[in-house]
Amino acid sequence: MTENEVSAFLKRYPKVTTIELLISDLNGVLRGKRIERNLLEKVVTQGFYLPGSVMSLDATGTTVESAGLGVDVGDRDQRCRLIPETLAIVPWIEDGSRAQALCTMVDDNDEPFFSDPRQILCNALERFNKLNYQVGFAAELEFYLVDMDRDAQGGLRPPASSTTGRRMGSCQVYSIDDLNEYDAFIQDVLQAARAQNIPADTVIAEYAPGQFEVNLHHSDNIVRSVDHAILLKRVIRHVARKHGMEATFMAKPYIEESGNGLHMHLSLMQDGKNVLAADNPVDNPIMRNMVAGLLSMADSTQAFMAPNINSYRRLAPGAFAPTAKNWGYDNRTVALRIPSGSKAATRIEHRMAGADANPYLVATAVIAGVTEGIQHRMEPSAPVTGNAYDQEHPHVADNLRDALRNMKKDVRVADWFGESFVKVYQACKWHDLHLFEQQITQLEYDLLLGYA
């Protein structure tokens, strides 16, 4: 980010008094600092500092000391730098006094910090770019709106519409009426996204009461697209709060309803043309290479796609969440879907990640799989027709423990993500797993207290 960019922004928004400096941690949670207006130009030229341990936090936001970024190294600070073209107004602060900027972390030599998820994606793209292709990319995010007040049993429930007072109680996928009832919220989300230069344009009602999906524009800048996905989640949460609701990207907030996914759409461009375009895309050699590479790394990257205990509750047969390593044309029961449509728009829809995953790490895993498949000319299994859930296909891990073990078995993960980062990630996720297992649930008391 340049001083001229900052000067022009402050001139355009004279009411801004504070700026939030945001950086994604390992879990995709935005953390950072808030500074006063008069410090912004200094921060642009010199950077600012955060503890490197912010990249080794558990689900509670506590440093995982076994990751090695905490007291073992004196809980050292690392310099952070502002990312160009991310300085934007915070539109839900209605007096115009707040702005924000996305940041990235560097080491003592001003090189990418090894545990910054955004830098890991940038490194992966440097390798991919040697293939002389460009990735076309778009993301879809699913989320639930929930009432701030819980039901009589303390559970989640859909919010009551501010328009009609009605509380959604059934699945009305693609319902226009449901969109109309939450139109004020949806319009505020899209308006806030525009104010922050986030190219979101489509919102649909999804497969459960209170569940929605928002789409980001297709782009040939995958890093910027993932920046937009991270920032859009923040927009949705804050706008929901403004409307007296909560928004959650939790993978499976209701056990009886569909989960929240993060779907990534990929095309492959060369000399301005989509090389995946074909009359029969499942026979396209490059398409087949890409699919095979992605499936070959599905086991070892599953812990990035499903990073939490709850993530695996989403992976249920028949719930439009992939449970196996398969692919097919226009088939929503598979992991990798080739959507129908015009030949020029031929692409892969990667459906494996939950909305709780860190988009930078998911995108890195996707780039790694695509590159491996193309470089080694891999061939996939036959495309699936019909309901994949009723067929026999190799399954991905259905729990975090096995997913983490599979990650360690594949040397390609350390090669793409960095051995040091994988060690940090493993330490943090095993810590989360143990944290969960140290809890005694109400169901255990109900079933065992008087009988065991």
Side-chain angles (χ1 to χ4, degrees), residues 136 218 265-269 273-282 284 287 290 329 337-349:
H218 181 273
H265 291 251
L266 300 160
S267 57
L268 199 66
M269 312 298 292
K273 296 181 179 179
N274 182 3
V275 299
L276 299 184
D279 292 327
N280 187 3
V282 298
N284 182 316
M287 171 76 79
M290 291 171 63
Y329 180 77
R337 171 179 173 250
I338 314 305
S340 60
S342 70
K343 184 192 297 188
T346 303
R347 62 196 184 277
I348 298 171
E349 180 187 9

Coordinates of all heavy atoms in Angstrom, one line a residue, residues 136 218 265-269 273-282 284 287 290 329 337-349:
G136 N -9.1 -19.2 -13.1 CA -10.3 -18.4 -12.9 C -11.0 -18.9 -11.6 O -11.1 -20.2 -11.4
H218 N -16.6 -14.2 -10.4 CA -15.5 -14.9 -10.9 C -14.3 -13.9 -11.1 O -14.5 -12.8 -11.6 CB -15.9 -15.5 -12.3 CG -14.8 -16.3 -12.9 ND1 -13.9 -15.7 -13.8 CD2 -14.5 -17.6 -12.9 CE1 -13.1 -16.7 -14.3 NE2 -13.5 -17.8 -13.8
H265 N -15.2 -22.5 -7.3 CA -15.3 -22.8 -8.7 C -14.0 -22.4 -9.4 O -13.5 -21.3 -9.3 CB -16.4 -21.9 -9.3 CG -17.8 -22.4 -8.8 ND1 -18.7 -23.1 -9.6 CD2 -18.4 -22.3 -7.6 CE1 -19.8 -23.3 -9.0 NE2 -19.6 -22.9 -7.7
L266 N -13.5 -23.4 -10.2 CA -12.2 -23.2 -10.8 C -12.3 -23.4 -12.4 O -12.8 -24.4 -12.8 CB -11.2 -24.2 -10.3 CG -10.9 -24.2 -8.8 CD1 -10.3 -25.6 -8.4 CD2 -9.9 -23.1 -8.5
S267 N -11.8 -22.5 -13.1 CA -11.5 -22.7 -14.5 C -10.0 -22.5 -14.8 O -9.3 -22.0 -13.9 CB -12.4 -21.7 -15.4 OG -12.1 -20.3 -15.0
L268 N -9.6 -22.8 -15.9 CA -8.2 -22.8 -16.2 C -8.0 -22.0 -17.6 O -8.5 -22.4 -18.6 CB -7.6 -24.2 -16.3 CG -6.1 -24.3 -16.2 CD1 -5.6 -23.9 -14.8 CD2 -5.6 -25.7 -16.5
M269 N -7.3 -20.9 -17.5 CA -7.1 -20.0 -18.7 C -5.7 -20.1 -19.2 O -4.7 -20.2 -18.5 CB -7.5 -18.6 -18.3 CG -8.8 -18.4 -17.5 SD -10.3 -19.0 -18.3 CE -10.3 -17.7 -19.6
K273 N -8.2 -18.0 -23.1 CA -9.2 -19.0 -23.4 C -9.3 -20.0 -22.2 O -8.3 -20.3 -21.6 CB -8.8 -19.7 -24.7 CG -8.8 -18.8 -25.9 CD -8.5 -19.6 -27.2 CE -8.5 -18.7 -28.4 NZ -8.2 -19.5 -29.6
N274 N -10.5 -20.5 -22.0 CA -10.7 -21.5 -21.0 C -10.3 -22.8 -21.5 O -11.1 -23.4 -22.4 CB -12.2 -21.4 -20.5 CG -12.5 -22.4 -19.4 OD1 -11.6 -23.1 -18.9 ND2 -13.8 -22.5 -19.0
V275 N -9.2 -23.4 -21.1 CA -8.8 -24.7 -21.6 C -9.6 -25.9 -21.2 O -9.5 -27.0 -21.7 CB -7.3 -24.9 -21.3 CG1 -6.4 -23.8 -21.9 CG2 -7.1 -25.1 -19.8
L276 N -10.5 -25.6 -20.3 CA -11.4 -26.7 -19.8 C -12.7 -26.8 -20.8 O -13.4 -27.8 -20.7 CB -11.9 -26.5 -18.4 CG -10.8 -26.5 -17.3 CD1 -11.5 -26.3 -15.9 CD2 -9.9 -27.7 -17.4
A277 N -12.9 -25.8 -21.6 CA -14.0 -25.8 -22.5 C -14.0 -27.0 -23.5 O -13.0 -27.2 -24.1 CB -14.1 -24.5 -23.2
A278 N -15.1 -27.7 -23.5 CA -15.2 -28.9 -24.4 C -16.6 -29.3 -24.5 O -17.4 -29.0 -23.7 CB -14.3 -30.0 -23.9
D279 N -16.9 -29.9 -25.7 CA -18.3 -30.4 -25.9 C -18.6 -31.4 -24.8 O -19.8 -31.5 -24.3 CB -18.5 -31.0 -27.3 CG -18.4 -29.9 -28.3 OD1 -18.8 -28.8 -28.1 OD2 -17.9 -30.3 -29.4
N280 N -17.7 -32.3 -24.5 CA -17.9 -33.3 -23.4 C -16.7 -33.1 -22.4 O -15.7 -33.7 -22.5 CB -17.8 -34.7 -24.0 CG -18.2 -35.7 -22.9 OD1 -18.5 -35.4 -21.8 ND2 -18.1 -37.0 -23.3
P281 N -17.0 -32.2 -21.4 CA -15.9 -31.8 -20.5 C -15.3 -33.0 -19.7 O -14.1 -32.9 -19.3 CB -16.5 -30.8 -19.5 CG -18.0 -31.0 -19.7 CD -18.2 -31.5 -21.0
V282 N -16.0 -34.1 -19.4 CA -15.4 -35.2 -18.6 C -14.3 -35.9 -19.4 O -13.6 -36.7 -18.8 CB -16.5 -36.1 -18.2 CG1 -17.5 -35.4 -17.3 CG2 -17.2 -36.8 -19.3
N284 N -12.2 -34.1 -21.4 CA -11.1 -33.2 -21.6 C -9.8 -33.6 -20.8 O -9.9 -33.7 -19.6 CB -11.6 -31.8 -21.1 CG -10.5 -30.7 -21.4 OD1 -9.4 -30.8 -21.1 ND2 -11.0 -29.5 -21.9
M287 N -8.9 -31.3 -17.9 CA -9.9 -31.5 -16.8 C -9.7 -32.7 -16.0 O -9.7 -32.7 -14.8 CB -11.3 -31.5 -17.5 CG -12.5 -31.9 -16.5 SD -12.9 -30.5 -15.4 CE -13.9 -29.6 -16.5
M290 N -6.7 -32.4 -13.7 CA -7.0 -31.5 -12.5 C -7.9 -32.3 -11.5 O -7.6 -32.3 -10.3 CB -7.7 -30.3 -13.0 CG -6.9 -29.3 -13.8 SD -7.8 -27.9 -14.5 CE -8.5 -27.1 -13.0
Y329 N -20.5 -35.0 -13.8 CA -21.0 -33.9 -14.5 C -22.4 -33.5 -14.0 O -23.3 -34.4 -13.9 CB -21.2 -34.2 -16.0 CG -21.7 -33.1 -16.9 CD1 -20.9 -32.0 -17.2 CD2 -23.0 -33.1 -17.3 CE1 -21.4 -31.0 -18.0 CE2 -23.6 -32.1 -18.1 CZ -22.8 -31.0 -18.4 OH -23.3 -30.0 -19.1
R337 N -17.8 -31.4 -8.8 CA -18.9 -31.3 -9.7 C -18.5 -30.4 -11.0 O -17.9 -29.4 -10.8 CB -20.1 -30.7 -9.1 CG -21.3 -30.3 -10.0 CD -22.4 -29.7 -9.2 NE -23.5 -29.2 -10.0 CZ -23.8 -28.0 -10.2 NH1 -23.1 -27.0 -9.5 NH2 -24.8 -27.6 -11.0
I338 N -18.8 -30.9 -12.2 CA -18.6 -30.1 -13.4 C -20.0 -29.5 -13.7 O -20.9 -30.3 -14.2 CB -18.1 -31.0 -14.5 CG1 -16.9 -31.9 -14.1 CG2 -17.7 -30.1 -15.7 CD1 -15.8 -31.2 -13.5
P339 N -20.2 -28.3 -13.4 CA -21.6 -27.7 -13.6 C -21.9 -27.7 -15.1 O -21.1 -27.5 -15.9 CB -21.5 -26.3 -13.0 CG -20.3 -26.3 -12.1 CD -19.3 -27.3 -12.7
S340 N -23.2 -27.8 -15.4 CA -23.7 -27.6 -16.7 C -23.7 -26.1 -17.1 O -23.5 -25.2 -16.2 CB -25.1 -28.1 -16.9 OG -26.0 -27.5 -16.0
G341 N -23.9 -25.8 -18.3 CA -23.9 -24.4 -18.8 C -23.1 -24.2 -20.1 O -22.9 -25.2 -20.8
S342 N -22.8 -23.0 -20.4 CA -22.1 -22.7 -21.7 C -20.7 -23.3 -21.7 O -20.1 -23.5 -20.6 CB -22.0 -21.2 -21.9 OG -21.1 -20.6 -21.0
K343 N -20.2 -23.7 -22.9 CA -18.9 -24.3 -23.0 C -17.8 -23.3 -22.4 O -16.9 -23.8 -21.8 CB -18.6 -24.6 -24.4 CG -17.3 -25.3 -24.7 CD -16.9 -25.4 -26.1 CE -17.9 -26.2 -27.0 NZ -17.3 -26.4 -28.3
A344 N -18.0 -22.1 -22.7 CA -17.0 -21.1 -22.3 C -16.9 -21.0 -20.8 O -15.8 -20.6 -20.2 CB -17.3 -19.7 -22.8
A345 N -17.9 -21.4 -20.0 CA -17.9 -21.3 -18.6 C -17.6 -22.6 -17.9 O -17.9 -22.8 -16.7 CB -19.3 -20.8 -18.1
T346 N -17.1 -23.6 -18.7 CA -16.8 -24.9 -18.1 C -15.8 -24.8 -16.9 O -14.8 -24.1 -17.0 CB -16.2 -25.8 -19.2 OG1 -17.1 -25.9 -20.2 CG2 -15.9 -27.2 -18.6
R347 N -16.1 -25.4 -15.8 CA -15.3 -25.3 -14.6 C -15.5 -26.5 -13.7 O -16.4 -27.3 -13.9 CB -15.7 -24.0 -13.9 CG -17.1 -24.0 -13.4 CD -17.6 -22.6 -13.0 NE -18.9 -22.6 -12.5 CZ -20.0 -22.6 -13.2 NH1 -20.0 -22.6 -14.5 NH2 -21.2 -22.6 -12.6
I348 N -14.7 -26.5 -12.6 CA -14.8 -27.5 -11.6 C -15.4 -26.8 -10.4 O -14.9 -25.7 -10.0 CB -13.5 -28.1 -11.2 CG1 -12.9 -28.9 -12.4 CG2 -13.6 -29.1 -10.0 CD1 -11.5 -29.4 -12.2
E349 N -16.4 -27.4 -9.8 CA -16.9 -26.9 -8.5 C -16.4 -27.8 -7.4 O -16.8 -29.0 -7.3 CB -18.4 -26.8 -8.5 CG -19.0 -26.3 -7.1 CD -20.5 -26.5 -7.0 OE1 -21.1 -27.1 -7.8 OE2 -21.0 -25.9 -6.0

